[in-house]
C-alpha cells in the first residue's frame, strides 16, 4: 500500500470512528473511560495504520481494544479482573440487528415483570452498609428488575449481556454515591430524584436505549479478550504484537475495585469484602482490605527491580513523619517490582520495530514525588528498548507536580 493509499484509508477510518463517537457508541456505556483518555488512545492508533496486531495488557473497560477494532486492526487485551473482562467482551462483541431487536423485546418483558412483580425478587448483594448506597425504594426496584432480566433472557445471550450493561448504568443513576472525587461521598436519600417506580423504570428504559444505540455500530476488526496476569504475560499471549497502547494502574494507592464494587457485587463477581481484598491483592497496585495488611508481610523477590532512584524515594517515604510510612513504602516498592516483571515479559511478545505507549501518572506520598514515568523509562532502557521518551500529556489536578505522561519506546 502506498503512502497516499494509507492516508486515504486512515481518513475513511477516522470519519467512521468520529461518526460512531457522535452517536455515543460503546465507549461511554459505563462512563468509566474519561474523554481525554479515549482521545489519546485514538490518536495513537489512528497514526499507525500499519500496526496489524495491537495489545492492551491492562484491559480496563476495553477502550484500546475497541478503538483498534474500529480502525480495522486485530486487537488483544487481557486483565485479571473478571468483571472488566465481561465488560470488554460486551463492548467489543458484534451484535446483529436481530439481537438488538430481541433485546428491545426482552427489555419490555423485563419491565412488565418488574411492574407486575410476578417473580419473587432475589436478595440484594452483600455490600457493607448497602442502605448508604441505595434507599429502600431504589433497592427494591433494582432487586426486582435484576430478577426480571434473568427471567426475560437466556444465560450468556446477547440480550442478557446488553440488558445487564444497561442495568449497571441504572444502578449508579439510582444510587446515592458520588464518584466525582477521590473520597467517594453519598447523598442523603431524600435528595434523590427517583421517588416512584415509574421514574426508575423510565431510567432503565433510557439506559437500554443508550446501550442499544451503540450496540449497532459494530467494529470491523477482530478482538480477543483474555484472562491473565500482566506479570506473567507470556503465559497468556500467543504471537507477536506491533503496537502496545495501555494505561496500567497508577502508583497512587487508589484501588480500582473501589469504583467497580457496585457492578461486581450486583452481577455476582464479588460476594463479600474479603473477595474484593483478594482480587486487589492479585492486581498490580491493589490496596483494598487485606491487600494492605499483607504488604507488611511482603518481601522483595529474587531478581527484583534494582534502582538507586527508587531506593532513595522509598527510603524517604518509609521515614516520613507518618505511622503509615513503612507500609506505603512497601506499596511503592511492590508496584515497581510488579511492573518490572511485566516489562520483562512484554519484551518477549513484541515484533521487531514494535512501538509501545504507556499512559501513566506520577504521584506523591507525604510530599515525596514518585516519578512513575522516569522509573518506567529506566526499566525500559535497562531491558534494551530504544527511543525511550516521556511525553507529558496533561496536568492531573490542581497540584502542579501531578502530571500524566505517555511513556513511549521501540523494540529492536
Amino acid at each position: 500500500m502506498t503512502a497516499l493509499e494509507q492516508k486515504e484509508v486512515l481518513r475513511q477510518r477516522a470519519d467512521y470512528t468520529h461518526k460512531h463517537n457522535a452517536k455515543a457508541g460503546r465507549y461511554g456505556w459505563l462512563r468509566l473511560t474519561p474523554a481525554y483518555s479515549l482521545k489519546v488512545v485514538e490518536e495513537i492508533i489512528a497514526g499507525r495504520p500499519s500496526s496489524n496486531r495491537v495489545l492492551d495488557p491492562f484491559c480496563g473497560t476495553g477502550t484500546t481494544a475497541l478503538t483498534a477494532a474500529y480502525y480495522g486492526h486485530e486487537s488483544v487485551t487481557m486483565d485479571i479482573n473478571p468483571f472488566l473482562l465481561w465488560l470488554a467482551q460486551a463492548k467489543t462483541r458484534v451484535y446483529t440487528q436481530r439481537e438488538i431487536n430481541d433485546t428491545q423485546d426482552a427489555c419490555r418483558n423485563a419491565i412488565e415483570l418488574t411492574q407486575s412483580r410476578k417473580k419473587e425478587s432475589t436478595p440484594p448483594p452483600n455490600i457493607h452498609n448497602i442502605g448508604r448506597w441505595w434507599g429502600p425504594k431504589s433497592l427494591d426496584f433494582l432487586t426486582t428488575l435484576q430478577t426480571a432480566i434473568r427471567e426475560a433472557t437466556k444465560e450468556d445471550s446477547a440480550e442478557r449481556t446488553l440488558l445487564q450493561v444497561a442495568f449497571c448504568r441504572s444502578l449508579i443513576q439510582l444510587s446515592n454515591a458520588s464518584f466525582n472525587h477521590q473520597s467517594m461521598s453519598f447523598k442523603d436519600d431524600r435528595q434523590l430524584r427517583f421517588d416512584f417506580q415509574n421514574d426508575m423504570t423510565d431510567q432503565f428504559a433510557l439506559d437500554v436505549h443508550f446501550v442499544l444505540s451503540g450496540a449497532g455500530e459494530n467494529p470491523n476488526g477482530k478482538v480477543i479478550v483474555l484472562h491473565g496476569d500482566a506479570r506473567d504475560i507470556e503465559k497468556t499471549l500467543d504471537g507477536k504484537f506491533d503496537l502496545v497502547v495501555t494505561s496500567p494502574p497508577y502508583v497512587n494507592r487508589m484501588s480500582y475495585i473501589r469504583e467497580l464494587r457496585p457492578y461486581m457485587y450486583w452481577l455476582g463477581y464479588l460476594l463479600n469484602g474479603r473477595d474484593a481484598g483478594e482480587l486487589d491483592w492479585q492486581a498490580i497496585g491493589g490496596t483494598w482490605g487485606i491487600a494492605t495488611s499483607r504488604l507488611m508481610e511482603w518481601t522483595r523477590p529474587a531478581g527484583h527491580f534494582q534502582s538507586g532512584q527508587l531506593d532513595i524515594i522509598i527510603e524517604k517515604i518509609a521515614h516520613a513523619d507518618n505511622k503509615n510510612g513503612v507500609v506505603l513504602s512497601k506499596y511503592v516498592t511492590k508496584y515497581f517490582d510488579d511492573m518490572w516483571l511485566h516489562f520483562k515479559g512484554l519484551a518477549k511478545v513484541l515484533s521487531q520495530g514494535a512501538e509501545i505507549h504507556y499512559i501513566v501518572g506520577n504521584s506523591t506520598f507525604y510530599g515525596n514525588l514518585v516519578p512513575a514515568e522516569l522509573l518506567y523509562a529506566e526499566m525500559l532502557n535497562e531491558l534494551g528498548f530504544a527511543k525511550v521518551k516521556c511525553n507529558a500529556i496533561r496536568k492531573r489536578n490542581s497540584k502542579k507536580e501531578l502530571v500524566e505522561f505517555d511513556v513511549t519506546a521501540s523494540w529492536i
Side-chain angles (χ1 to χ4, degrees):
M1 183 181 294
T2 66
L4 185 61
E5 288 172 333
Q6 287 183 349
K7 186 175 181 180
E8 177 60 17
V9 169
L10 177 61
R11 184 192 67 76
Q12 292 176 358
R13 288 178 177 174
D15 288 346
Y16 178 86
T17 302
H18 290 311
K19 178 182 178 182
H20 163 81
N21 289 345
K23 292 183 178 180
R26 305 183 191 181
Y27 291 118
W29 271 4
L30 289 190
R31 301 177 186 171
L32 296 176
T33 303
Y36 73 86
S37 296
L38 172 57
K39 182 175 182 293
V40 170
V41 168
E42 189 169 359
E43 286 177 349
I44 293 171
I45 293 175
R48 291 147 189 86
S50 61
S51 298
N52 295 322
R53 298 194 81 213
V54 180
L55 170 66
D56 181 357
F58 296 94
C59 176
T61 61
T63 298
T64 296
L66 183 60
T67 304
Y70 275 120
Y71 277 86
H73 302 298
E74 176 185 338
S75 59
V76 178
T77 188
M78 56 183 285
D79 208 282
I80 204 167
N81 187 318
F83 167 76
L84 291 176
L85 296 176
W86 171 81
L87 179 58
Q89 288 168 340
K91 288 173 70 173
T92 58
R93 182 172 177 171
V94 172
Y95 296 98
T96 66
Q97 187 58 50
R98 179 173 179 175
E99 288 173 331
I100 293 173
N101 294 340
D102 287 347
T103 303
Q104 292 172 331
D105 293 339
C107 174
R108 286 190 286 269
N109 291 339
I111 288 175
E112 289 177 3
L113 288 169
T114 301
Q115 292 173 331
S116 65
R117 303 183 71 90
K118 292 181 179 179
K119 291 287 182 178
E120 185 176 347
S121 300
T122 57
N126 186 28
I127 299 177
H128 175 67
N129 199 2
I130 195 171
R132 183 175 58 167
W133 285 83
W134 295 276
K137 295 178 181 178
S138 297
L139 197 57
D140 179 64
F141 172 78
L142 289 169
T143 54
T144 306
L145 175 60
Q146 187 183 51
T147 303
I149 290 173
R150 291 172 179 166
E151 180 68 19
T153 59
K154 294 180 180 178
E155 189 174 357
D156 297 327
S157 65
E159 296 78 31
R160 179 171 294 186
T161 294
L162 291 168
L163 291 187
Q164 291 285 34
V165 173
F167 176 83
C168 287
R169 287 179 58 86
S170 294
L171 71 87
I172 294 301
Q173 292 287 350
L174 299 177
S175 77
N176 304 337
S178 296
F179 290 97
N180 56 350
H181 46 75
Q182 287 191 353
S183 299
M184 183 174 57
S185 61
F186 293 89
K187 296 169 285 191
D188 189 301
D189 191 45
R190 291 170 295 180
Q191 295 176 305
L192 294 182
R193 297 178 288 113
F194 303 95
D195 295 325
F196 304 101
Q197 187 187 58
N198 285 342
D199 295 330
M200 300 179 191
T201 300
D202 289 344
Q203 179 62 51
F204 176 65
L206 183 65
D207 288 327
V208 171
H209 176 76
F210 179 86
V211 168
L212 294 184
S213 69
E217 298 288 334
N218 288 316
N220 54 359
K222 180 181 179 181
V223 179
I224 300 173
V225 181
L226 301 171
H227 181 269
D229 189 336
R231 286 161 294 207
D232 194 10
I233 202 168
E234 283 184 283
K235 186 176 181 180
T236 304
L237 302 176
D238 290 322
K240 302 287 186 178
F241 295 88
D242 310 304
L243 177 65
V244 179
V245 184
T246 191
S247 183
Y250 291 6
V251 55
N252 59 7
R253 205 171 180 265
M254 278 294 296
S255 168
Y256 284 72
I257 292 294
R258 168 183 171 269
E259 290 194 17
L260 299 178
R261 277 181 299 157
Y263 312 116
M264 295 184 70
Y265 271 104
W266 278 97
L267 297 189
Y269 291 103
L270 291 176
L271 299 180
N272 51 56
R274 187 172 184 83
D275 288 345
E278 287 286 354
L279 184 57
D280 232 22
W281 176 246
Q282 296 172 35
I284 294 177
T287 61
W288 191 267
I290 59 174
T292 296
S293 60
R294 287 181 181 175
L295 278 172
M296 293 304 297
E297 303 171 2
W298 175 81
T299 57
R300 302 188 78 175
H304 62 74
F305 176 51
Q306 297 186 28
S307 166
Q309 179 181 201
L310 179 60
D311 289 343
I312 293 172
I313 293 169
I314 59 179
E315 183 72 15
K316 289 181 178 179
I317 295 173
H319 288 84
D321 187 19
N322 190 295
K323 64 179 182 180
N324 294 321
V326 173
V327 69
L328 289 180
S329 70
K330 286 200 168 195
Y331 166 77
V332 173
T333 304
K334 185 177 186 299
Y335 173 88
F336 287 106
D337 280 355
D338 284 345
M339 288 304 300
W340 172 246
L341 290 175
H342 166 69
F343 284 126
K344 286 174 68 177
L346 178 70
K348 299 174 183 178
V349 300
L350 298 178
S351 59
Q352 187 174 3
E355 186 172 310
I356 70 171
H357 292 259
Y358 278 68
I359 314 301
V360 68
N362 59 9
S363 56
T364 60
F365 290 85
Y366 308 131
N368 298 295
L369 183 68
V370 180
E373 77 287 358
L374 297 181
L375 290 163
Y376 277 24
E378 184 179 338
M379 294 181 195
L380 294 171
N381 279 314
E382 188 169 336
L383 291 170
F385 283 79
K387 301 178 182 178
V388 181
K389 296 180 181 178
C390 301
N391 304 306
I393 298 175
R394 69 174 190 109
K395 289 178 60 178
R396 291 174 57 195
N397 56 27
S398 58
K399 293 183 179 180
K400 63 179 181 180
E401 68 271 22
L402 294 185
V403 178
E404 199 163 51
F405 297 87
D406 178 9
V407 181
T408 67
S410 298
W411 181 247
I412 55 175

